[in-house]
Amino acid sequence: MSRAKIAIAGFQHETNTFAPMPTTLEEFAAGGSWPGITEGESVLDIFATLNIPIGGFIEAAKDWTLVPVLWTAAEPGGYVSREAFDNICARITAALQQAGDIDGVYLDLHGAMVVDGFEDGECEVVRRVREVVGEEIPIAVSLDLHGNLSPGFFELCNCVTIYRTYPHIDMASTGRRAKELLQAQLEYPAALKKSFRQLDYLLPITMQSTLREPARRLYKMLEGSLPEGVVSADIALGFPPADIQHCGPSLLCYGTDQLACDQYADALLDALQASESEFIEPMMKASLAVSLAVEVSDKSSRPVVICDPQDNPGAGATGDTTGLLRALIQGGAVDAWFGMLWDPQAALLAHEAGVGGRFEVALGGRFAAPGATDAEAPVVEEVVVEALGDGNFTFTGPMYGGARACLGNMALLRIAREDCDVHVIVSTVRTQNADQEIFRHLGVEPSTRRIIVVKSAGHFLADYEPIAEQVIFAEAAGVNPCVLKDIAYSNLRNGVRLGPGGPVYTG
């Protein structure tokens, strides 16, 4: 065929419907761990070398003529405002209307966007794009592993690829696979056949890492030789803090033979069903996590890493809960480094005080989390400013590596108690800690410390687990609930179990 002309765009958000703060247009414009709203040729210039799906697609599609439209993402949070959604969709569809004749569309989406007015944000994005380009133009989509996929979304897309790693170190390769699948769609004389299945139990984020079993084994089923007639298969493990009908894991297959796609989809579903009992909850109470970290770090030259998954900003949590910080202070932790707390006011006060300055501050605790107690109130302490930063640096870890951070004013604070050796990083922009450069930006080398605490649920593993003596998942209050049986769902479809072996949701 002649050189294909493909329009490309990206619109990503992972929506936590239990989060207290809405996601507005300003959040998309500002960026953070990723660039803010980017339009036109700048999409090619900025994203071509980044580990992100649209970057992988651009790299793989050098034999095509690309029409760059727009790319944007906001930090995971509460419902996307209707204003933001309509504004961004309008920019995408207007550019598509002006693109002239095209042979296909590639969309870099997430899969777990919930909008004020639309439970399935991705389905509505694709529907609006389909209205512009028509039924005959193929639409290829790449998604995050944590997508909540609906049958309606699946039907609107011609082909979909999904990340196969968590932490997501294969984002660019997922974009490259989307290019290959779109090319097969363009070259195959009939439309690719496809199959879609949904699992009947939910999986907490803490159980989804592909570095651990059984997810590691299940995802290997997607690699290597697929059955004859199947050209692609993927699994989405879902994003549980989303109170929507189609929350939960799903899988999909594409190929040239419908029966082969159906049979392999059934085989993948059977494997997921058979693995239910292997998904084991790894969390322990915050006080016990700190006690264990102190004990292990006394005997090791490598740090113990504690994660705070239920307050993971990367899953839409506030990033400012204090349960684990308080446990460190009360538990006598030594050489403990907490990174990071979303507290713009504390960061501002630190910059006003300067390095060496001392002041009393109420750290964190601005939002009441489900299940919160007095222990989740702000931590009121005198602190000493040890280092200051502007939040602008380049990530180096396996997931974000190469991306430019724009986290606003940051500060490293030391709790000023004589009997305490706890240090806290505060930031102006909310983001999860999945990259050691967050510490290094303020002069802290994580590998040389005894106890490192990160607000993350799984992405931190790629950069932090290689330096750790042990990784501990701590349980403290937050709006990324990981004990799914305790979540007050009201919109989930009936018959889905709330966690492996959990109770059945009945509405």
Side-chain angles (χ1 to χ4, degrees):
M1 62 180 295
S2 59
R3 189 177 178 91
K5 182 180 179 182
I6 308 296
I8 62 172
F11 184 8
Q12 291 200 6
H13 191 257
E14 186 175 65
T15 306
N16 182 329
T17 63
F18 301 99
M21 57 286 181
T23 303
T24 66
L25 186 61
E26 286 71 26
E27 273 74 52
F28 286 97
S33 295
W34 299 115
I37 296 174
T38 306
E39 298 184 77
E41 291 298 319
S42 294
V43 173
L44 300 180
D45 297 335
I46 292 174
F47 294 100
T49 60
L50 295 183
N51 177 30
I52 199 165
I54 201 167
F57 189 94
I58 292 168
E59 178 189 20
K62 292 178 179 177
D63 56 333
W64 289 349
T65 298
L66 299 182
V67 181
V69 173
L70 173 152
W71 191 93
T72 187
E75 191 71 18
Y79 287 93
V80 174
S81 73
R82 187 63 177 270
E83 176 197 17
F85 184 79
D86 288 343
N87 181 293
I88 293 167
C89 281
R91 298 192 204 189
I92 292 172
T93 54
L96 289 172
Q97 288 170 339
Q98 297 173 9
D101 293 335
I102 57 174
D103 298 298
V105 177
Y106 164 68
L107 298 174
D108 180 3
L109 306 180
H110 185 282
M113 182 193 297
V114 186
V115 183
D116 182 14
F118 298 111
E119 269 200 359
D120 190 343
E122 281 77 13
C123 187
E124 181 63 15
V125 171
V126 179
R127 187 192 68 78
R128 295 187 187 190
V129 169
R130 181 66 76 192
E131 278 189 343
V132 174
V133 302
E135 296 297 323
E136 302 304 317
I137 298 298
I139 298 176
V141 179
S142 61
L143 297 175
D144 192 290
L145 178 145
H146 305 303
N148 293 319
L149 280 60
S150 71
F153 165 80
F154 178 72
E155 288 303 317
L156 279 172
C157 303
N158 294 88
C159 49
V160 176
T161 59
I162 303 172
Y163 307 165
R164 292 174 177 173
T165 62
Y166 176 43
H168 305 328
I169 60 174
D170 70 327
M171 292 185 286
S173 65
T174 301
R176 289 191 287 270
R177 288 194 293 111
K179 191 272 182 184
E180 295 170 0
L181 203 53
L182 179 56
Q183 184 164 341
Q185 182 75 35
L186 292 170
E187 294 178 351
Y188 190 59
L192 289 174
K193 312 301 181 185
K194 56 186 185 180
S195 296
F196 177 73
R197 303 286 187 271
Q198 289 177 301
L199 196 62
D200 60 1
Y201 65 90
L202 305 183
L203 281 175
I205 293 290
T206 49
M207 297 183 181
Q208 294 185 12
S209 175
T210 56
L211 297 175
R212 287 158 166 74
E213 299 297 349
R216 175 164 45 194
R217 180 183 71 248
L218 292 167
Y219 274 83
K220 286 189 180 299
M221 296 179 67
L222 309 176
E223 302 171 355
S225 298
L226 296 174
E228 185 175 353
V230 178
V231 298
S232 179
D234 276 308
I235 300 170
L237 292 180
F239 184 63
D243 187 14
I244 58 174
Q245 181 181 9
H246 292 291
C247 179
S250 59
L251 57 95
L252 43 81
C253 293
Y254 295 93
T256 57
D257 183 275
Q258 187 65 59
L259 180 60
C261 287
D262 290 342
Q263 289 178 338
Y264 198 56
D266 289 337
L268 289 172
L269 185 63
D270 289 345
L272 280 161
Q273 297 284 17
S275 301
E276 182 173 0
S277 64
E278 296 182 64
F279 287 101
I280 300 170
E281 176 56 60
M283 294 194 298
M284 65 171 59
K285 297 295 183 182
S287 59
L288 295 176
V290 170
S291 294
L292 178 58
V294 170
E295 178 184 347
V296 173
S297 65
D298 282 343
K299 304 171 185 175
S300 174
S301 60
R302 301 205 304 163
V304 175
V305 176
I306 308 175
C307 79
D308 191 3
Q310 295 196 141
D311 191 38
N312 170 28
T318 60
D320 82 329
T321 63
T322 58
L324 195 48
L325 175 59
R326 184 172 275 103
L328 288 171
I329 295 170
Q330 295 176 348
V334 175
D335 195 15
W337 303 78
F338 189 101
M340 59 190 178
L341 199 69
W342 180 42
D343 196 327
Q345 180 63 23
L348 175 62
L349 291 173
H351 276 257
E352 289 176 347
V355 174
R358 299 171 71 100
F359 58 94
E360 186 176 272
V361 64
L363 291 169
R366 290 172 299 159
F367 300 92
T373 65
D374 289 343
E376 290 299 315
V379 170
V380 180
E381 294 282 352
E382 185 179 23
V383 297
V384 178
V385 180
E386 295 194 320
L388 298 171
D390 62 7
N392 295 310
F393 56 92
T394 301
F395 290 117
T396 59
M399 179 177 167
Y400 288 120
R404 188 73 179 163
C406 300
L407 304 183
N409 283 342
M410 297 174 66
L412 176 64
L413 309 176
R414 175 173 57 82
I415 305 298
R417 294 189 190 186
E418 290 185 4
D419 61 346
C420 183
D421 190 15
V422 176
H423 312 253
V424 185
I425 291 177
V426 293
S427 68
T428 301
V429 174
R430 181 178 58 92
T431 194
Q432 72 173 309
N433 189 338
D435 197 295
Q436 293 182 53
E437 291 301 323
I438 284 176
F439 282 104
R440 293 177 182 140
H441 176 60
L442 294 169
V444 180
E445 175 48 54
S447 64
T448 66
R449 308 304 178 178
R450 293 181 62 177
I451 298 175
I452 296 291
V453 178
V454 295
K455 284 187 178 289
S456 180
H459 288 316
F460 76 97
L461 291 168
D463 205 24
Y464 285 95
E465 190 165 40
I467 68 169
E469 179 66 27
Q470 186 171 341
V471 171
I472 302 171
F473 288 74
E475 181 181 353
V479 295
N480 177 38
C482 296
V483 182
L484 304 189
K485 65 181 178 62
D486 296 335
I487 298 179
Y489 290 105
S490 58
N491 298 309
L492 190 63
R493 64 192 185 279
N494 287 338
V496 176
R497 293 189 296 287
L498 305 184
V504 176
Y505 179 79
T506 56

